[in-house]
Amino acid sequence: MWWSRFGTPLSTFEGVSFYRKGRNVWAFSLPEIPDMRCESVGLRFMSVRGRVWKPTTYALQLFGRFATKNAVDLGPDQAEKFIAGEQQSLEADLEDGYVVVSHRGDVLGCGLYTRGELVSQLPKERRIVKEGIENCLSDGDS
Amino acid sequence: MDGLERYRGIVPEFERLIEAIVRPLPVTARINTLKTDRDRLLFRLREAKVPFQPFSWYSLGLKLDVEKPGNLIENLMGHIHVQEEISMVSPIILDPKPGERVLDLCAAPGSKTTQIASMMVNRGLLVANDPANTRVASLRSNCERAGAINVVVTRYDGRRFPSHEFDRVLVDAPCTGQGMARKDLSVLDRWSLKRSLGLQRLQRALLRRATDLAKPGGTVVYSTCTFAPEENEAVVSWVADQVERVRLEKVSIPGLESCPGLVEWDGSLFGDEMEKCIRYYPHQNDTGGFFVAKLIKE
């Protein structure tokens, strides 16, 4: 699925095992889950609802840099809106659906792209509203 | 400040400790190599004009001259983890390797857990245990943000953690936290000998269980952020006496000023071996206070 959506080479996931529990798929470093009463095992990789699947922001932050399509690098103002959790118009070579959103080559998280609109999917508790941003998003030439 | 007076005889330049303890801690963070590398992160910070100063003793540590490091975009992306400087010591002493089986027995909120995961390059198994439901939420959230895929979170009472063999076990024990007074001075007023001795029972049981769980040749690291010898040398020496086939190994980190562990305290003899442990006082490196011991199971 990741391959067809993001063009992520399979070698990205070498040594990573995946397992499904309920509506979530988790990425884990070992092929077998340890024999313990576990609260969580590995990193929540994506959620699955019927035929629709959604990558988690944390999985994209880890593996998204290897995406070769449906990935977009935002400018400073756009990135600011994205990390504030906002929706914005965006012209980009993207198919509708979930996309990898980055800024200056580093992945910010998951976005939902539909008909020219990009909606931030960052978890609410991770969002940073404008006046709170200490690290101003630099465009690199200042 | 009365809570510190009892340490006048063991702390070098005690007056400097008293001066240091009222100053707030510097804001410090650790670079998360699971998601970025040092050069890339430092480049980002420079471009964004975030003032920082790398640690002299640890290449992945930084002092940040910002008020709210939690609002840095690098924090959102999990490229840095805001963590007190001296607490980065215990994972370094533990020295976990990729592919090993490691247990962090008192893991929440997960600063040291995520540091261990990055040292293991996301390979092998890292069990992050903490009994408290409320604290497990922050532990899980920090592991997610760090991008740790080799972490299993469990919620056992550490004293009765089920039998499994581990290459390394970290016991970063619950303590009276006097070393964190620069974050919250009231910890000094809350300290009492009774509290230290109450925690000592728990700390001894945790460290003892950790030595059971380490495989032969395995490493157990015990750390606290308190000055009280009742919670430090009195715990380590008791376990070293009680458990056969456990020896102490000398702890040292080049570039950090420190004191050896105490051989005796208040009439109790802990033995010369305790000099292999290490004490860090806030005025020595402009950090919090910390104690670390390293045990090897034979």
Side-chain angles (χ1 to χ4, degrees):
Chain A
M1 284 190 283
W2 277 56
W3 163 249
S4 57
R5 179 74 198 164
F6 300 122
T8 314
L10 279 177
S11 57
T12 305
F13 304 112
E14 215 171 279
V16 182
S17 299
F18 295 93
Y19 71 96
R20 186 169 173 170
K21 191 180 167 197
R23 286 178 164 179
N24 292 308
V25 174
W26 297 70
F28 184 47
S29 53
L30 298 176
E32 280 179 28
I33 294 171
D35 174 25
M36 295 172 193
R37 214 170 58 229
C38 301
E39 296 286 310
S40 69
V41 179
L43 185 78
R44 203 163 66 83
F45 185 75
M46 62 187 194
S47 60
V48 184
R49 303 253 188 296
R51 289 174 64 183
V52 181
W53 59 279
K54 177 186 180 182
T56 66
T57 271
Y58 305 110
L60 289 184
Q61 285 180 352
L62 197 61
F63 300 112
R65 69 189 127 138
F66 304 107
T68 53
K69 59 177 183 172
N70 287 317
V72 60
D73 202 76
L74 301 180
D77 295 343
Q78 298 166 320
E80 202 167 89
K81 281 187 184 157
F82 181 84
I83 63 177
E86 292 176 20
Q87 175 172 344
Q88 58 189 304
S89 299
L90 184 75
E91 276 191 38
D93 180 21
L94 300 169
E95 297 161 0
D96 281 3
Y98 295 113
V99 295
V100 181
V101 179
S102 56
H103 172 58
R104 306 204 62 213
D106 288 318
V107 178
L108 297 169
C110 179
L112 177 60
Y113 192 70
T114 331
R115 294 188 293 276
E117 290 284 316
L118 179 70
V119 185
S120 172
Q121 304 291 302
L122 282 188
K124 286 193 181 59
E125 68 277 13
R126 296 292 187 213
R127 295 176 186 178
I128 306 174
V129 289
K130 194 174 175 185
E131 54 273 23
I133 305 176
E134 290 264 0
N135 169 5
C136 37
L137 294 148
S138 136
D139 53 12
D141 56 7
S142 51
Chain B
M1 226 62 76
D2 287 352
L4 293 181
E5 197 53 39
R6 66 197 299 256
Y7 306 124
R8 185 178 284 274
I10 60 164
V11 177
E13 302 183 86
F14 180 76
E15 297 305 330
R16 280 186 57 218
L17 168 66
I18 298 298
E19 286 163 25
I21 211 93
V22 292
R23 290 199 303 268
L25 275 172
V27 174
T28 55
R30 175 175 48 77
I31 301 168
N32 178 17
T33 51
L34 294 179
K35 285 188 164 177
T36 188
D37 58 54
R38 185 177 192 267
D39 289 349
R40 191 176 176 93
L41 191 272
L42 297 190
F43 178 78
R44 268 201 81 104
L45 293 179
R46 277 192 205 104
E47 289 280 320
K49 298 191 169 55
V50 177
F52 69 89
Q53 175 74 46
F55 295 173
S56 56
W57 64 277
Y58 183 41
S59 65
L60 298 179
L62 301 170
K63 278 196 172 81
L64 292 168
D65 190 12
V66 294
E67 271 183 32
K68 290 183 179 167
N71 281 349
L72 287 172
I73 186 169
E74 286 74 18
N75 186 64
L76 176 146
M77 295 191 295
H79 291 195
I80 57 166
H81 182 87
V82 178
Q83 181 178 355
E84 210 277 296
E85 177 167 357
I86 203 67
S87 83
M88 299 180 201
V89 160
S90 21
I92 295 171
I93 304 284
L94 187 70
D95 196 22
K97 303 284 195 290
E100 288 186 335
R101 294 170 61 90
V102 178
L103 170 62
D104 186 352
L105 197 58
C106 316
S111 292
K112 299 177 190 77
T113 308
T114 51
Q115 187 179 356
I116 293 167
S118 69
M119 293 170 84
M120 296 172 75
V121 201
N122 250 344
R123 295 208 285 269
L125 173 66
L126 171 54
V127 179
N129 181 72
D130 205 286
N133 213 354
T134 48
R135 287 161 57 88
V136 159
S138 60
L139 173 61
R140 286 182 60 171
S141 155
N142 279 319
C143 288
E144 276 192 315
R145 194 163 45 87
I149 64 166
N150 63 343
V151 174
V152 163
V153 174
T154 61
R155 225 159 54 71
Y156 292 104
D157 178 336
R159 294 168 290 191
R160 288 180 280 279
F161 191 91
S163 293
H164 290 271
E165 274 205 338
F166 292 95
D167 297 288
R168 294 169 206 269
V169 184
L170 173 64
V171 185
D172 186 49
C175 69
T176 50
Q178 293 171 317
M180 284 294 111
R182 294 179 67 181
K183 237 181 216 169
D184 173 14
L185 265 178
S186 70
V187 296
L188 298 180
D189 295 329
R190 287 202 300 275
W191 181 87
S192 69
L193 183 59
K194 194 178 163 192
R195 280 196 64 214
S196 270
L197 293 175
L199 281 162
Q200 181 190 73
R201 285 172 59 106
L202 172 63
Q203 291 155 343
R204 284 176 170 175
L206 288 168
L207 182 55
R208 185 176 181 146
R209 186 62 189 146
T211 60
D212 293 339
L213 296 165
K215 71 175 196 187
T219 299
V220 177
V221 167
Y222 177 82
S223 59
T224 74
C225 58
T226 199
F227 308 119
E230 291 83 1
E231 301 175 58
N232 294 326
E233 290 87 348
V235 171
V236 176
S237 65
W238 182 85
V239 170
D241 282 348
Q242 291 277 315
V243 181
E244 287 178 19
R245 300 191 304 277
V246 162
R247 65 177 168 84
L248 275 157
E249 193 167 275
K250 187 161 173 52
V251 174
S252 112
I253 300 263
L256 280 180
E257 204 183 314
S258 63
C259 292
L262 303 178
V263 170
E264 60 176 317
W265 169 257
D266 199 22
S268 300
L269 280 178
F270 302 130
D272 293 344
E273 278 279 284
M274 285 304 122
E275 287 194 335
K276 292 179 174 169
C277 309
I278 200 159
R279 289 178 154 260
Y280 295 102
Y281 295 111
H283 57 298
Q284 292 182 307
N285 308 287
D286 192 18
T287 62
F290 214 60
F291 171 89
V292 191
K294 182 174 189 175
L295 300 97
I296 305 292
K297 187 156 169 190
E298 295 184 324

